[in-house]
Amino acid sequence: GGNVAAADAVYLARICAKVYLIHRRDRLRATAIYHRRLEEMPNVEILWNHEVREMVSEDGKLTGLRVENNKTGQSRILPVAAVFIAVGNIPNTEFLAGAVDLSQSGHIIADERGITTVPGVFAAGDVRTKTLRQVVTATADGAICAEEAADYLLDADL
């Protein structure tokens, strides 16, 4: 329900015929500008107080989502051809506080090669400071960090 979910819904609405934004509460935490953008998009439908309970498929192909209203208990099947799951971007890095430098948002400060402020510690994926957080970039980060770690170990006197 925050800015990430709203921005993703706006983006998807520009390329999809229909977008359901399924939110477990009765309001979004997103800023007012996102509320306006979503309201202006005729192909976006927000399902308030709903949660996805099941992905429905036929012959191995996604055909729908069973959603449930968490206030009334009523459920229904939404016909869909695809699902984009976005759950926000709060990194799970609290355990690293004091061990490596973190940004104000809690992301590990690292360069494009994953190198942090601590020698031998590398950061990859969505926990690293970067502008785009998606599986494809996280995968690339992992490959880069593996290479950097191998180089570090070869150069280190361990």
Side-chain angles (χ1 to χ4, degrees):
N3 284 346
V4 171
D8 288 345
V10 167
Y11 174 80
L12 290 169
R14 291 181 179 142
I15 59 173
C16 299
K18 178 74 174 182
V19 173
Y20 295 102
L21 193 157
I22 302 167
H23 189 57
R24 67 181 179 268
R25 295 189 181 98
D26 61 357
R27 64 182 174 186
L28 299 176
R29 291 185 322 269
T31 58
I33 188 72
Y34 280 116
H35 283 264
R36 270 196 309 279
R37 285 183 185 161
L38 289 169
E39 289 168 1
E40 292 169 357
M41 302 188 121
N43 60 334
V44 173
E45 182 178 339
I46 301 175
L47 300 178
W48 302 111
N49 301 307
H50 278 75
E51 297 178 46
V52 175
R53 295 294 183 211
E54 178 184 10
M55 291 186 186
V56 180
S57 65
E58 290 178 20
D59 300 320
K61 179 181 173 188
L62 179 70
T63 58
L65 295 175
R66 186 172 67 80
V67 295
E68 182 179 299
N69 184 305
N70 58 32
K71 297 279 187 192
T72 67
Q74 263 188 311
S75 70
R76 65 179 170 141
I77 303 291
L78 294 176
V80 299
V83 175
F84 182 82
I85 300 170
V87 294
N89 62 1
I90 298 172
N92 185 11
T93 57
E94 305 85 36
F95 70 98
L96 295 170
V100 297
D101 288 349
L102 302 175
S103 69
Q104 282 187 315
S105 62
H107 292 88
I108 300 168
I109 296 173
D111 67 13
E112 287 299 313
R113 298 178 303 161
I115 297 173
T116 68
T117 54
V118 178
V121 176
F122 301 87
D126 294 353
V127 297
R128 181 174 69 79
T129 51
K130 60 187 195 174
T131 56
L132 183 60
R133 291 184 172 83
Q134 293 183 347
V135 171
V136 69
T137 62
T139 303
D141 286 353
I144 292 167
C145 283
E147 241 352 85
E148 290 296 329
D151 288 347
Y152 175 81
L153 292 173
L154 288 173
D155 292 341
D157 279 335
L158 301 177

